[in-house]
Amino acid sequence: MGKLIVIEGTDGSGKSTQFKLLTQRLQAQGRSFKRLVFPRYDQPSSALIRMYLGGELGTKPSDVNSYAASAFYAVDRYASFKQDWGQWYCSGGLVLSDRYTTSNAVHQASKEPPERRAEYLRWLYEFEYDRLGLPRPDLTIYLDVPTDFTQRLMRQREQDLGTQADIHEQDMAYLATCRESGRAAAAFYGWTVIDCVKDGAMRSIEDIHEEIFAHVAKLLEE
Ligand code: ADP
């Protein structure tokens, strides 16, 4: 089997930014790897995700329960594993992913009351890894950013790119709960947490990248 490295975090925590820097650096080192980004919005396997995020199944994230929404995202990953990277991974290849099963833990566990979250988290890993047979990550980097910072970064990005927020991104109370459930999931599963805010300010993109790269380099040396 190969190695799977995942970059995870709440919306607007800097995942895409860090993913790009990390893949560029590995590319510059001449490493070969596959690059995945979830969800695959341009693929038919994400149809239910698009309906959900577009508000067709309800206008609030809580209108679709955590188990149903998790299944939508899981089948998109399953299709991608079958079509795109399963063979590469199974023959020893390196795979880097911007979001993964871990995103369900961040976004969907938050819909469960605190006393039901551990049950959901146990179900999620069993469903995707043991039952669907998707690979477990060797390293999950979790970018931890307080919600008031992610809110600013997301609005800035919408302005820069001219994009519109989906039902997750519009709902600040939901995102604040996701931050809490994301931290709880990181502790539950033992993810590698990167504190992106220091002394009340967002750390620089480069500084965060160096910390992430040190973890990745260590894994790749093993
Ligand atoms: P995500 O993929 O987690 O939703 P992005 O990587 O798209 O987040 O980042 C959201 C916005 O914040 C982007 O406009 C990005 O340029 C900016 N950004 C990311 N990391 C930092 C940082 N450390 N400091 C300042 N701005 C950042």
Side-chain angles (χ1 to χ4, degrees), residues 8-21:
E8 194 51 73
T10 48
D11 285 333
S13 58
K15 294 181 299 298
S16 313
T17 306
Q18 292 301 331
F19 187 70
K20 193 169 155 205
L21 281 183

Side-chain angles (χ1 to χ4, degrees), residues 123-175:
W123 170 83
L124 175 67
Y125 268 28
E126 202 218 319
F127 176 52
E128 293 208 22
Y129 301 149
D130 300 338
R131 305 287 172 184
L132 298 187
L134 292 168
R136 282 175 191 264
D138 296 280
L139 175 65
T140 300
I141 302 278
Y142 180 73
L143 305 179
D144 187 38
V145 184
T147 314
D148 44 342
F149 287 88
T150 53
Q151 185 175 359
R152 259 178 273 157
L153 295 179
M154 274 193 298
R155 300 293 92 91
Q156 181 64 44
R157 182 180 55 190
E158 281 155 28
Q159 259 186 1
D160 293 347
L161 302 178
T163 51
Q164 260 200 324
D166 63 37
I167 64 163
H168 279 176
E169 293 165 345
Q170 288 160 10
D171 191 331
M172 282 306 132
Y174 172 71
L175 289 177

